Amino acid sequence: MAILITGGAGYIGSHICVELIYAGYDIIVVDNLSNSNRESIKRVELITGKEIVFYQIDILSQNDLETVFLENSIEAVIHCAGLKAVGDSVKAPLHYYQNNVTGTIILSKVMKKFNVKKMVFSSSATVYGIPEFVPIRESFLPRPINPYGRSKWMIEEILKDLHLSNNEWSITLLRYFNPIGAHKSGLIGEDPNGIPNNLMPIITQVAAGKLNILQVYGNCYPTVDGTGVRDYIHVADLANGHLKALEKTFNSSGVEVYNLGTGEGYSVLELISAFELATGVRIPYKITQPRPGDVAACYADPAKARQGLGWRAENGIREMCEDAWRWQSNNPDGYLSEEAEIRC
Ligand code: NAD
Ligand code: WQD
């Protein structure tokens, strides 16, 4: 029996592949490579020494998905496939709803047809929108403020209805906060297409000289130093959270939602300082206007995941910065870089 990972060639999915293989699972990966590279699967095979069964397909293709389920004995699905750029979702909402929501509906229909009723779903703290206060608990009412966040919230509601229609379904919804960092080998990591949107890949590209300067989006927020505060979590900790969620999904039924965050918030300036301390590389920056749609502070109350999954983040901000930098400096052009040797 195997675990299907949709979006398994992506940033988080590839780290989940490593974690599950180390835990002894057989895995199958489907990915349309719309935001990733086949090289990431090869790197996972290099790290783990295990061959991965990979299908380059779109989850919107029911026929292709059914072929995967026909050819493999799948017992659960970790569903990471999805588009995740907030700004793009505002410009192209229908593309986001079709890819994320319709894609999940088609995946769920195929799972139902093959009697596979266990799923771990990649949701996002973006479902909370502008939190009334922090830290954020799972009981807070979702109030997403962009199509991307709404797509994640809609999927959560669809999956809850799926369980109400048949209580054999066992579904774990994981609301990730801000994943950063990379596997300690420096062989897999975040490889954004074009100019990154997110803070850490921009910091590492400034450090590598690919970008000249970091723009700090505003310093007038009601925070420790006026810059935005976020809950950065090491992608390896996030991957371990999926292993714990999978185990929980096997041993129960119903739908549960968990925040995956550290519970600690760091401002933009604090992250810059942490990166400079961890790597010895200076990050030039300038304060610019706030980014529309940004919230002042967003960080998790991680208590429910600790109690319900027996999971907590282990890596601190220093490891997140060191590991992000090792990936960037080993792979200046991401997966298009020349072969990197193992450094773990
Ligand atoms: P990513 O873009 O690196 O990975 C997503 C993968 O899904 C990519 O490999 C892409 O090619 C694939 N994909 C997208 N649409 C597909 C489709 N229709 N069919 C098949 N494959 C498809 O992004 P990531 O950072 O690894 O995020 C993984 C998941 O976690 C996403 O669902 C995202 O919304 C969610 N998430 C990410 C973050 C974050 O900050 N990275 C935070 C919260 C939630
Ligand atoms: C972090 C902080 C910015 C870039 C996003 C998505 C969210 C989720 C995680 C998918 C903020 C500041 C950033 C820059 C800056 N992804 N910043 N200069 O916005 O918290 O969350 O990624 O689910 O949906 O919205 O992350 O990394 O973009 O920003 O000052 O060049 O860094 O203002 O305070 P964010 P981010």
Side-chain angles (χ1 to χ4, degrees), residues 89-248:
S89 80
V90 174
K91 293 176 199 145
L94 295 180
H95 182 45
Y96 265 68
Y97 288 130
Q98 180 175 10
N99 192 78
N100 294 359
V101 181
T102 307
T104 304
I105 290 170
I106 291 169
L107 171 67
S108 304
K109 284 169 71 175
V110 174
M111 289 175 68
K112 181 170 179 276
K113 181 171 181 178
F114 287 85
N115 196 31
V116 178
K117 296 192 176 74
K118 298 185 182 305
M119 184 197 285
V120 177
F121 172 61
S122 297
S123 192
S124 168
T126 312
V127 303
Y128 294 113
I130 301 172
E132 280 179 74
F133 48 88
V134 284
I136 298 173
R137 289 193 297 280
E138 292 85 350
S139 56
F140 285 16
L141 195 64
R143 301 186 306 181
I145 58 172
N146 54 64
Y148 166 70
R150 277 190 280 275
S151 77
K152 291 296 185 180
W153 174 68
M154 290 175 191
I155 292 167
E156 290 190 6
E157 294 301 298
I158 288 166
L159 294 174
K160 288 175 191 169
D161 285 339
L162 188 56
H163 168 255
L164 287 175
S165 72
N166 178 335
N167 63 15
E168 291 174 16
W169 283 90
S170 177
I171 299 168
T172 305
L173 309 172
L174 300 179
R175 292 174 179 165
Y176 310 164
F177 279 70
N178 288 65
I180 62 172
H183 186 264
K184 298 221 176 289
S185 65
L187 281 171
I188 56 175
E190 189 167 12
D191 185 16
N193 285 341
I195 302 284
N197 297 308
N198 294 136
L199 179 60
M200 182 53 96
I202 292 172
I203 286 177
T204 57
Q205 289 197 11
V206 168
K210 289 170 72 79
L211 296 173
N212 293 329
I213 192 165
L214 167 68
Q215 299 184 51
V216 176
Y217 295 148
N219 66 346
C220 298
Y221 289 107
T223 62
V224 60
D225 55 25
T227 62
V229 170
R230 295 292 184 275
D231 187 332
Y232 298 100
I233 175 171
H234 198 296
V235 64
D237 285 324
L238 203 68
N240 183 255
H242 286 72
L243 178 62
K244 300 286 190 185
L246 185 64
E247 288 161 357
K248 166 99 179 175

